[in-house]
Amino acid sequence: MAMNGAFLRILALLGMLCPLARGSVNLYLSGDEVKKLLGLTADLYYVRDNQVNSYALKFNLPVPADINSLHFTWRSSMPGVRYRMSLLSENTRILKKPETNISLAGEVPLAESVFRVNLTCSGQSNAEVGVHIQLNVTLHSAQNYTVLNFRRRKMCMINDEPIIKPGTGSVNNSSPIVRGESDYSVSNSTSVFYIAVGVACTIIFLIAMAIAAINVHSIKQNDRIRTATDNYVPRSCRTRYSLFLICSVRKFFIKNLAHWFPPAYPSLRRYPNMTEPVADVRSQLSDICIQRTEVTLGDVLQEGTFGRIYHGIVVGEDRAEQEVFIKTVTDQASEEQVLLLLRESCMLRGVHHRHVQTITYACLDDGRPMTIFPYLNHGNLKVFLKHCRASETHTHQILSTQDLVHLAIQIGKAMQYLGKRGVVHRDLATRNCVLDEGLNVKVTDNALARDLFSGDYHCLGDNENRPVKWLAIESLVDKHFSSASDVWAFGVLLWELMTLGQTPYSDIDPFEMASYLRDGFRAPQPINCPDELFAIMACCWALSPEERPKFAQLTACLQEFHKALGLYI
Ligand SMILES: *[C@@H]1O[C@H](CO)[C@@H](O)[C@H](O)[C@H]1NC(C)=O
Ligand SMILES: *[C@@H]1O[C@H](CO)[C@@H](O)[C@H](O)[C@H]1NC(C)=O
Ligand SMILES: *[C@@H]1O[C@H](CO)[C@@H](O)[C@H](O)[C@H]1NC(C)=O
Ligand SMILES: *[C@@H]1O[C@H](CO)[C@@H](O)[C@H](O)[C@H]1NC(C)=O
Ligand SMILES: *[C@@H]1O[C@H](CO)[C@@H](O)[C@H](O)[C@H]1NC(C)=O
């Protein structure tokens, strides 16, 4: 199968990274074993010709509930390679100490052979238990042991319970499940979800591995290109080639994953109806209208050709003063632009979520209507990021990767919520987010964004000004929007975060975007962007909407990555 071929090429590349060393010890998971654990057929090498694949070792592979033994294949080309092994379960009450069918110390066999590690659950609790397998092998010299650490996360279920297997869609909510050492309970359906997240993160890991391999592999050939362009290499073959592999691998995985996830997105609903007659937009706002006298305009925070955002104060019914953002237009604005402000300000009305900013008041008294939103003191996220980038060259870096991932998680949660409510945002980008000093971020509507960030919008021959560089291929070509196209935009938003507010595809003509994307090009990996994060972005940019991850998966993966970053620091 072609997909398999691509994956095998990646593994082959991983092997080629390492020059052939003295002697040769091989240790790998056979195709059958990888198929059982990950659903694809390919050997996964931990040690190949004496070279340790640290990417593979770093990965904590999930072991589903219905798999009770692991099989490793190994052989040495010369006698006298010794090993010592130790096995450990993080919670022996739930998972017995793992056992193996070879002795704990000895010599690596000369013929290719398999050893088994049994993972036996006690059947007393539902939980995920960490397993450590340590193998010390005299790889490079007779005296020195090379330490190989394998980590697994084994799902254990209470005895006599139906094990949830791929394909059986039934979900039983009656039995609580405990994850690891923590004491919160979630339902069985959640356990399916966690397994699924594990698998989804596996994909991302493998993609990251592939990217790393290809990048390392191609550094030499690309040296010239790399130095010729300072920041990134939008049109280099490297970007295209790795994306081809990413997409192939992902496609392959998705086929095997399909049964883990409920299909399709909730049916789409436009919110609100953009074609409503004029009177309706104003009357829609009547319940939150306040008097002009209750509004005090403060500083202008952002200014476009006709739109403005002010900091201001609103005196509420209880006479309490409230700090607010005020979106309004100047006298130059046409009636059409006024209506657009009102309509777009209502976009997220009725949504209540910690990370969503919605209109609280409107003031329609005179010719210049205002829409009013809760105040967040760091203001617009894109402006904030650009400011950080500018000051970065002078002072130390203000935002860490962990901070940026934290922002992404909050935005992901907001989008997950919107998706559940059937709301399609259609213009997710850092310019449509606001944040406070605690780096709490909220997704907001796109009212005035076309005017305030005119460089981010383009007309493609028609009169509609669209965020071309953020649009999924189906939105660009067929004007079709869905949660999946929001996922695409979220990928671009991640890219914006990691570049501190750069404009994506800045040197691509908006008219060429569709064919550029169809040819397999995507935004390149930003400098200093970890492979794992770039892999997450790349997944959001799958051509086919069904192949893109869901927001629930994205936030879960980002959270895992955030946690991992915490551990490294
Ligand atoms: C492997 O080597 C490490 C470091 O030398 C040591 O701490 C560990 O106990 C060894 N493990 C086994 C199973 O021999
Ligand atoms: C250990 O088990 C595996 C698979 O169950 C088997 O292929 C292998 O021969 C066994 N090894 C020994 C030393 O018994
Ligand atoms: C491991 O599990 C297999 C069945 O999967 C069983 O036949 C074998 O006896 C077990 N080995 C050990 C060492 O527990
Ligand atoms: C074993 O490892 C130590 C330190 O890691 C190194 O100094 C020594 O040269 C190694 N010995 C051999 C025989 O490779
Ligand atoms: C869930 O499990 C309980 C017992 O554990 C059983 O009585 C019930 O029928 C199950 N429900 C479904 C939907 O499988």
Side-chain angles (χ1 to χ4, degrees):
M1 208 188 292
M3 312 299 178
N4 266 340
F7 187 75
L8 288 168
R9 268 208 304 283
I10 292 167
L11 293 170
L13 270 176
L14 281 174
M16 283 188 323
L17 294 179
C18 326
L20 227 76
R22 180 192 79 91
S24 74
V25 172
N26 286 298
L27 171 62
Y28 62 96
L29 302 185
S30 69
D32 286 348
E33 181 74 0
V34 176
K35 175 135 191 121
K36 263 200 313 194
L37 292 170
L38 296 173
L40 91 169
T41 324
D43 297 342
L44 181 55
Y45 274 86
Y46 290 106
V47 179
R48 182 171 206 144
D49 295 332
N50 268 17
Q51 293 301 310
V52 177
N53 179 352
S54 55
Y55 289 115
L57 278 173
K58 255 194 293 189
F59 187 54
N60 194 344
L61 209 69
V63 181
D66 58 336
I67 293 178
N68 296 316
S69 52
L70 304 169
H71 298 89
F72 295 83
T73 311
W74 64 350
R75 76 181 209 96
S76 167
S77 68
M78 51 167 198
V81 177
R82 281 170 294 122
Y83 72 88
R84 278 195 237 130
M85 193 182 347
S86 69
L87 302 141
L88 185 112
S89 154
E90 279 177 3
N91 187 336
T92 48
R93 197 178 58 80
I94 299 168
L95 180 73
K96 291 184 195 144
K97 185 173 186 295
E99 288 174 341
T100 177
N101 70 342
I102 56 170
S103 64
L104 290 178
E107 282 192 7
V108 179
L110 294 172
E112 192 156 80
S113 44
V114 176
F115 67 89
R116 189 180 59 222
V117 174
N118 282 13
L119 303 176
T120 316
C121 294
S122 68
Q124 285 169 12
S125 312
N126 290 319
E128 197 185 82
V129 183
V131 177
H132 303 247
I133 302 169
Q134 191 177 58
L135 199 57
N136 292 0
V137 186
T138 55
L139 273 188
H140 301 287
S141 74
Q143 278 75 44
N144 279 4
Y145 280 96
T146 304
V147 182
L148 306 174
N149 285 307
F150 304 86
R151 295 169 61 82
R152 298 287 184 268
R153 303 194 314 268
K154 167 80 178 119
M155 281 307 280
C156 282
M157 297 281 185
I158 289 180
N159 273 349
D160 302 328
E161 217 177 77
I163 290 164
I164 300 162
K165 279 195 186 148
T168 57
S170 86
V171 161
N172 197 324
N173 281 328
S174 57
S175 54
I177 171 156
V178 185
R179 228 171 95 79
E181 305 288 271
S182 67
D183 57 2
Y184 62 85
S185 297
V186 284
S187 68
N188 245 357
S189 63
T190 323
S191 84
V192 175
F193 175 77
Y194 276 123
I195 295 168
V197 164
V199 178
C201 292
T202 307
I203 301 169
I204 285 175
F205 160 77
L206 286 167
I207 293 169
M209 214 163 85
I211 294 168
I214 292 157
N215 280 353
V216 175
H217 186 66
S218 57
I219 279 172
K220 283 235 165 64
Q221 290 112 290
N222 280 326
D223 258 354
R224 246 193 6 222
I225 308 173
R226 282 191 168 202
T227 44
T229 56
D230 51 357
N231 261 359
Y232 46 79
V233 197
R235 275 184 185 269
S236 84
C237 298
R238 185 171 65 86
T239 310
R240 185 183 190 182
Y241 182 55
S242 53
L243 199 94
F244 164 73
L245 288 182
I246 289 163
C247 294
S248 319
V249 174
R250 172 141 183 99
K251 235 185 231 160
F252 182 81
F253 272 114
I254 286 289
K255 262 195 211 141
N256 293 287
L257 259 185
H259 46 250
W260 290 102
F261 295 105
Y265 290 91
S267 62
L268 309 177
R269 184 156 64 90
R270 289 186 68 176
Y271 191 98
N273 189 345
M274 289 291 174
T275 56
E276 278 171 275
V278 179
D280 279 13
V281 185
R282 291 181 195 265
S283 67
Q284 238 185 25
L285 288 167
S286 59
D287 56 326
I288 53 169
C289 267
I290 55 173
Q291 302 291 313
R292 179 66 182 80
T293 51
E294 290 171 286
V295 184
T296 312
L297 290 179
D299 298 337
V300 177
L301 300 175
Q302 285 173 267
E303 186 166 19
T305 54
F306 64 86
R308 275 189 194 154
I309 298 185
Y310 289 89
H311 173 224
I313 305 238
V314 165
V315 183
E317 279 168 21
D318 50 358
R319 299 281 106 205
E321 291 189 346
Q322 247 178 291
E323 278 191 286
V324 291
F325 287 118
I326 300 166
K327 295 187 186 178
T328 186
V329 290
T330 61
D331 297 332
Q332 275 91 52
S334 65
E335 176 63 11
E336 210 175 309
Q337 285 161 337
V338 169
L339 285 176
L340 204 61
L341 166 69
L342 295 181
R343 275 189 207 131
E344 291 184 336
S345 293
C346 292
M347 185 172 88
L348 299 173
R349 220 188 140 185
V351 174
H352 302 282
H353 187 269
R354 234 149 67 74
H355 299 300
V356 178
Q357 192 205 38
T358 52
I359 185 168
T360 41
Y361 301 109
C363 176
L364 306 173
D365 277 4
D366 53 23
R368 291 201 302 154
M370 300 172 179
T371 55
I372 299 168
F373 299 78
Y375 185 68
L376 277 80
N377 61 3
H378 271 13
N380 187 278
L381 176 58
K382 178 160 180 152
V383 174
F384 174 77
L385 289 172
K386 285 172 112 170
H387 180 79
C388 285
R389 176 149 49 98
S391 58
E392 195 182 331
T393 48
H394 305 299
T395 60
H396 61 286
Q397 188 166 353
I398 303 167
L399 288 173
S400 65
T401 302
Q402 208 179 11
D403 291 335
L404 294 168
V405 173
H406 175 62
L407 292 174
I409 292 169
Q410 299 174 58
I411 294 167
K413 283 183 175 167
M415 294 310 295
Q416 190 182 339
Y417 179 80
L418 292 183
K420 244 194 269 169
R421 295 275 312 255
V423 180
V424 178
H425 191 293
R426 293 164 162 254
D427 194 1
L428 178 64
T430 54
R431 64 181 168 273
N432 293 323
C433 297
V434 286
L435 83 168
D436 70 13
E437 64 198 345
L439 295 186
N440 297 303
V441 65
K442 288 179 199 264
V443 174
T444 181
D445 54 68
N446 65 344
L448 298 183
R450 279 187 198 79
D451 185 36
L452 300 175
F453 298 93
S454 52
D456 291 352
Y457 294 85
H458 302 279
C459 292
L460 296 181
D462 50 13
N463 250 341
E464 208 181 332
N465 218 352
R466 291 183 289 161
V468 172
K469 310 281 170 85
W470 279 259
L471 291 183
I473 183 87
E474 73 274 10
S475 313
L476 201 54
V477 176
D478 303 322
K479 301 194 177 176
H480 185 267
F481 290 86
S482 65
S483 270
S485 60
D486 279 352
V487 165
W488 180 296
F490 182 75
V492 183
L493 180 146
L494 280 177
W495 191 92
E496 288 185 275
L497 286 176
M498 296 313 296
T499 57
L500 296 179
Q502 286 189 20
T503 304
Y505 308 99
S506 56
D507 57 350
I508 309 297
D509 186 309
F511 283 92
E512 283 178 12
M513 271 309 285
S515 58
Y516 186 77
L517 296 175
R518 257 199 236 101
D519 286 350
F521 291 103
R522 296 292 184 276
Q525 182 167 6
I527 42 171
N528 297 334
C529 172
D531 292 336
E532 290 86 344
L533 263 183
F534 184 58
I536 294 175
M537 293 174 204
C539 291
C540 297
W541 301 328
L543 267 191
S544 152
E546 297 82 51
E547 287 179 11
R548 293 172 208 149
K550 313 280 185 283
F551 278 111
Q553 286 167 269
L554 287 169
T555 48
C557 276
L558 286 168
Q559 275 168 329
E560 286 217 345
F561 185 60
H562 187 259
K563 218 166 66 188
L565 283 175
L567 297 178
Y568 295 143
I569 289 164

